[in-house]
Amino acid sequence: MRWRSSGIRWAVCLVAAGLVAAGCSADDPSAEGLSGELGTTSDINPRPREEIREGGNLRLAVTSYPANWNTLSNDGNEGEIADIQRPMMPRSFIVDAAGELTVNQDYFTSVELTNTNPQQVTYTINPKATWSDGNPITWEDIASQANALSGRDKSFFIAITNGFEFVEKVERGVDDRQAVLTFSHPFAEWRGQFSGNSSLFPKSVTATPESFNEGLRDAMGPTAGPFQIQSADRGQSRIVLGRNPNWWGERPKLDTITYTVLDRSAWVGGLRNNEIDAISLASIDDVQNVRNTPGIEVRRAPGNRWRHITFNGAPGSILAEQGVRVAISKAIDRQGIAAATQAGLVENPRPLNNHLYLQGQKGYQDNSLPFDPDAAARELDALGWKLNGDVREKDGRKLIIRDVMYNDPLWVQIAQIIQQNLARIGVGLTIDTKPAAGFFTDVIQPGDFDAAQFIFAGDAFSLSSMRQIYYYDPDDLQGNYGRIGSPELNDLIDRTLRELDPDKAIEMANEVDRTVFEMGHSLPLTQSDGSWGVRSDLANFGSPGLATYDYTKIGFVQ
């Protein structure tokens, strides 16, 4: 599943392609050994439980207060909200740094593919698993969520179907603690339906469109994890999680986890002033500032978040024509953007060249369009977009793109590089910055952009996001904010998701990715290097790679 995020700030390292600022040398020693590829590593200061002291408050920062606590809904489909919920909500699998899966025994004693014709998956729920309102977790919670995300009732404002469009029915198993899902078609990524970035919600949230769309807009509902909401105050911009007294698993070491809404530009200062315990870092300046602060260390494993540009192909948009989007894609120097933003952070900065797989994941290959501004100019000429002064025109309309992004210095710098790239071929670009509050609900979802820059997060379930983002149904956009697609691509996505042979699924997924590039749907830029600044005595937390945290083991060393 792809989570969106707008609010990661990178201190500016270069003002434009080829202009390197002081302290940003590409051979900076801080980048030694950091390849930028996901692998089998994480950097979290792993310590056994006996070395962690009892109690303590983990202080973290977020850029905005949740607009909707339901991360299954389009309004709540944001990475920061999911991060806040992870210590509180059920997921079916635990993922290690290499992307290997084991059943999360706190919630399920088994999750098994029990039949292939038809495909059936059986979830056996831990008999101790209970929602915070006292109700047991049962097969009805699974059935209700499967129905809500199926896409059959368009009144549910869902972010992703996540394969539930293929679930024909959900039945009670041997008792209320077992659910049997029967699929109308095979679904390759069945393990990710209640895992990765997608958790199980109680039926009180997913039962009706009203409860799904509006029920968690102002407050979190029932939870089921080692932590629960202790207090949440939108006015004070603070959320505090406390231990769940009815938690049936290992007792958490921490007393509380506190999330404070703080502008991203203040995060490094908050960490250095002992107001925050851990933050993500995104520039060599951040890394050097943190490294030189006593009591703080840099932890790094290649990250799973990636920057990209989504194009708007809706009728009437300046980029409605596929050929124009493709030409513009070829004119953007993504390698220059990678060098500009990641110098000193990785050894060999390079762009991300796949929409579905991250660098280092099995299946990753370069399916991108070549950087070729001369070809881009010729293609625009052939499409009737002729130079008139500095900017091309067609039928009296100037080829000027409005590029929308979170008001963040690095996003603006990336846009300025793109602005220079496109000026070379006679395309104008207007930089339009927006505040974090309402960025998705008021700007991205309605399609109020020609191009939009934001961040997606990948996970171990690479195929689960294909339908969410790249399938086009005008009556069910989900995450396809650019409104770009075709029946042929839809069919290829469906066939890929039905392929149970992992190697064949990878081959088909890369065919999907090539098609997405060729349609000019969107353009990946760079994958995060995964740098974190963390208080030195904090254990089992930091830069996890693909791995999931064990929130019961996070804490401060004795």
Side-chain angles (χ1 to χ4, degrees):
M1 183 174 182
R2 292 288 185 262
W3 296 98
R4 62 199 185 195
S5 173
S6 62
I8 295 183
R9 176 185 181 275
W10 290 17
V12 177
C13 223
L14 286 86
V15 296
L19 302 179
V20 181
C24 295
S25 171
D27 60 356
D28 189 287
S30 63
E32 290 180 1
L34 194 60
S35 68
E37 289 191 357
L38 282 170
T40 59
T41 61
S42 62
D43 190 2
I44 61 171
N45 186 22
R47 298 292 186 93
R49 290 180 59 86
E50 55 268 22
E51 294 184 16
I52 311 301
R53 65 178 170 88
E54 291 289 330
N57 175 34
L58 174 61
R59 300 165 299 172
L60 302 174
V62 292
T63 59
S64 61
Y65 197 90
N68 190 330
W69 290 84
N70 181 6
T71 53
L72 304 175
S73 76
N74 226 333
D75 286 347
N77 180 38
E78 296 188 26
E80 286 189 336
I81 305 174
D83 289 342
I84 295 169
Q85 288 184 354
R86 279 193 180 88
M88 301 189 289
M89 300 300 287
R91 286 178 172 80
S92 53
F93 286 94
I94 296 169
V95 185
D96 69 12
E100 298 297 321
L101 309 178
T102 55
V103 174
N104 189 338
Q105 296 287 327
D106 284 331
Y107 299 107
F108 299 96
T109 57
S110 68
V111 180
E112 298 177 299
L113 181 66
T114 48
N115 198 358
T116 57
N117 189 22
Q119 180 177 334
Q120 289 184 314
V121 177
T122 300
Y123 290 81
T124 303
I125 302 165
N126 185 328
K128 297 179 181 179
T130 305
W131 297 109
S132 57
D133 61 4
N135 288 316
I137 298 177
T138 74
W139 75 277
E140 292 181 334
D141 297 303
I142 292 175
S144 180
Q145 185 157 319
N147 177 67
L149 298 187
S150 69
R152 298 182 189 105
D153 185 344
K154 304 303 183 184
S155 300
F156 287 91
F157 190 33
I158 62 175
I160 182 173
T161 52
N162 205 19
F164 289 109
E165 70 272 31
F166 299 140
V167 174
E168 185 176 87
K169 58 183 177 180
V170 180
E171 298 174 293
R172 182 180 185 269
V174 296
D175 57 25
D176 284 348
R177 297 286 192 161
Q178 189 175 79
V180 181
L181 279 64
T182 301
F183 291 72
S184 57
H185 303 288
F187 179 56
E189 206 70 283
W190 58 270
R191 294 175 185 82
Q193 290 188 301
F194 297 102
S195 195
N197 287 319
S198 185
S199 59
L200 174 64
F201 278 74
K203 62 183 179 182
S204 60
V205 172
T206 59
T208 68
E210 182 179 7
S211 62
F212 186 92
N213 300 337
E214 304 294 336
L216 302 188
R217 191 169 295 281
D218 296 321
M220 187 63 190
T223 58
F227 289 88
Q228 61 184 16
I229 296 287
Q230 180 172 299
S231 63
D233 191 314
R234 188 182 297 271
Q236 294 186 352
S237 299
R238 181 167 292 136
I239 299 159
V240 180
L241 312 186
R243 285 178 180 147
N244 177 2
N246 298 316
W247 172 244
W248 54 93
E250 289 267 22
R251 174 182 167 86
K253 287 291 186 175
L254 292 168
D255 288 323
T256 53
I257 303 173
T258 299
Y259 298 88
T260 300
V261 177
L262 190 64
D263 188 273
R264 188 61 177 84
S265 63
W267 283 19
V268 170
L271 180 66
R272 297 185 71 186
N273 294 333
N274 197 23
E275 298 166 351
I276 304 172
D277 295 311
I279 62 170
S280 60
L281 307 171
S283 75
I284 188 60
D285 292 335
D286 283 357
V287 169
Q288 291 170 340
N289 285 335
V290 165
R291 179 173 284 125
N292 295 328
T293 303
I296 301 172
E297 63 188 25
V298 176
R299 297 178 186 171
R300 296 199 293 193
N304 68 335
R305 301 200 175 196
W306 52 281
R307 293 175 177 263
H308 84 290
I309 306 169
T310 282
F311 298 120
N312 189 344
S317 167
I318 194 71
L319 299 180
E321 192 172 3
Q322 178 182 351
V324 175
R325 299 193 302 269
V326 169
I328 285 172
S329 297
K330 291 179 180 179
I332 295 174
D333 184 4
R334 297 184 305 119
Q335 177 59 50
I337 291 170
T341 58
Q342 294 194 327
L345 290 172
V346 297
E347 285 182 335
N348 299 298
R350 59 186 183 275
L352 181 67
N353 293 317
N354 199 295
H355 292 85
L356 300 174
Y357 296 101
L358 296 168
Q359 294 174 17
Q361 279 187 301
K362 183 179 179 181
Y364 178 84
Q365 65 183 46
D366 183 351
N367 298 313
S368 63
L369 302 173
F371 170 56
D372 192 343
D374 293 334
R378 290 193 300 270
E379 290 167 15
L380 290 175
D381 284 336
L383 291 168
W385 290 95
K386 303 297 185 180
L387 272 176
N388 184 0
D390 293 330
V391 178
R392 294 175 181 272
E393 287 187 7
K394 181 179 180 181
D395 300 329
R397 190 178 190 186
K398 292 183 178 296
L399 188 49
I400 299 175
I401 299 165
R402 185 168 58 92
D403 187 10
V404 173
M405 69 213 69
Y406 170 72
N407 189 8
D408 169 282
L410 185 70
W411 275 130
V412 172
Q413 293 295 331
I414 291 173
Q416 289 172 339
I417 296 172
I418 296 172
Q419 191 176 53
Q420 294 177 9
N421 294 159
L422 297 185
R424 176 179 171 184
I425 63 167
V427 176
L429 184 136
T430 302
I431 298 171
D432 187 359
T433 60
K434 303 291 184 181
F439 182 74
F440 288 102
T441 55
D442 300 337
V443 179
I444 302 302
Q445 288 175 16
D448 185 15
F449 61 89
D450 297 324
Q453 300 177 182
F454 54 96
I455 290 172
F456 279 137
D459 58 26
F461 309 96
S462 301
L463 304 186
S464 63
S465 65
M466 279 198 300
R467 218 174 190 277
Q468 178 189 16
I469 302 171
Y470 308 114
Y471 192 99
Y472 181 58
D473 178 350
D475 297 321
D476 185 18
L477 290 174
Q478 296 188 40
N480 192 343
Y481 303 123
R483 296 156 173 81
I484 296 168
S486 70
E488 294 77 15
L489 178 57
N490 289 355
D491 178 68
L492 179 57
I493 289 171
D494 282 342
R495 287 189 288 112
T496 304
L497 290 174
R498 295 176 188 182
E499 179 54 66
L500 295 180
D501 182 303
D503 292 332
K504 289 183 180 178
I506 286 174
E507 182 180 344
M508 296 174 70
N510 276 296
E511 188 178 347
V512 169
D513 183 53
R514 280 189 294 272
T515 305
V516 170
F517 274 111
E518 290 164 0
M519 294 193 73
H521 177 283
S522 51
L523 201 60
L525 297 176
T526 57
Q527 180 175 331
S528 168
D529 64 287
S531 297
W532 278 72
V534 184
R535 210 152 300 285
S536 302
D537 61 347
L538 180 60
N540 300 315
F541 193 88
S543 186
L546 282 177
T548 51
Y549 288 123
D550 183 343
Y551 285 91
T552 69
K553 293 181 180 178
I554 296 170
F556 298 92
V557 295
Q558 297 182 18

